[in-house]
Amino acid sequence: NAKVFASQSGCEIRDVGAVLEETAMITQRVQQFNAYIRGVAQSVVEMIHDTTDFVKTLPVGHNPTDGLPVDTKLLHRVQELVSS
């Protein structure tokens, strides 16, 4: 966001508010999507009979409860968006 506003010498408060509102909505939707995907993945992992073997085969950085990466690319991008 800062990069966008730095290139604009004069921007209206309405525009800034709209960008911030969109950023907040994107962040909220990503968090909801992440929670949904992790819930579904956790349900799938719970159906596995031998979870210890499953956990042993997970790559480094993956959550043993749902098998997904701890830090997904989507979450990383949203964090970059919010922190910029």
Side-chain angles (χ1 to χ4, degrees), residues 27-43 66 68 72 74-75:
T27 304
Q28 181 182 20
R29 297 288 189 231
V30 166
Q31 292 298 332
Q32 289 172 343
F33 178 74
N34 186 55
Y36 170 75
I37 292 296
R38 290 198 179 275
V40 170
Q42 187 173 357
S43 298
D66 57 23
L68 299 174
T72 64
L74 178 60
L75 288 177

Side-chain angles (χ1 to χ4, degrees), residues 57-74:
T57 62
L58 286 175
V60 175
H62 282 63
N63 190 337
T65 58
D66 57 23
L68 299 174
V70 174
D71 185 25
T72 64
K73 290 180 183 179
L74 178 60

Side-chain angles (χ1 to χ4, degrees), residues 7-83:
S7 66
Q8 302 289 331
S9 60
C11 55
E12 295 186 26
I13 296 299
R14 272 185 278 138
D15 295 337
V16 173
V19 169
L20 291 175
E21 186 176 333
E22 288 291 322
T23 303
M25 187 172 12
I26 290 170
T27 304
Q28 181 182 20
R29 297 288 189 231
V30 166
Q31 292 298 332
Q32 289 172 343
F33 178 74
N34 186 55
Y36 170 75
I37 292 296
R38 290 198 179 275
V40 170
Q42 187 173 357
S43 298
V44 170
V45 170
E46 289 171 357
M47 289 189 278
I48 298 173
H49 296 295
D50 190 7
T51 55
T52 55
D53 280 342
F54 171 74
V55 170
K56 288 178 188 176
T57 62
L58 286 175
V60 175
H62 282 63
N63 190 337
T65 58
D66 57 23
L68 299 174
V70 174
D71 185 25
T72 64
K73 290 180 183 179
L74 178 60
L75 288 177
H76 183 71
R77 292 289 187 186
V78 169
Q79 288 170 353
E80 286 178 346
L81 172 70
V82 173
S83 67

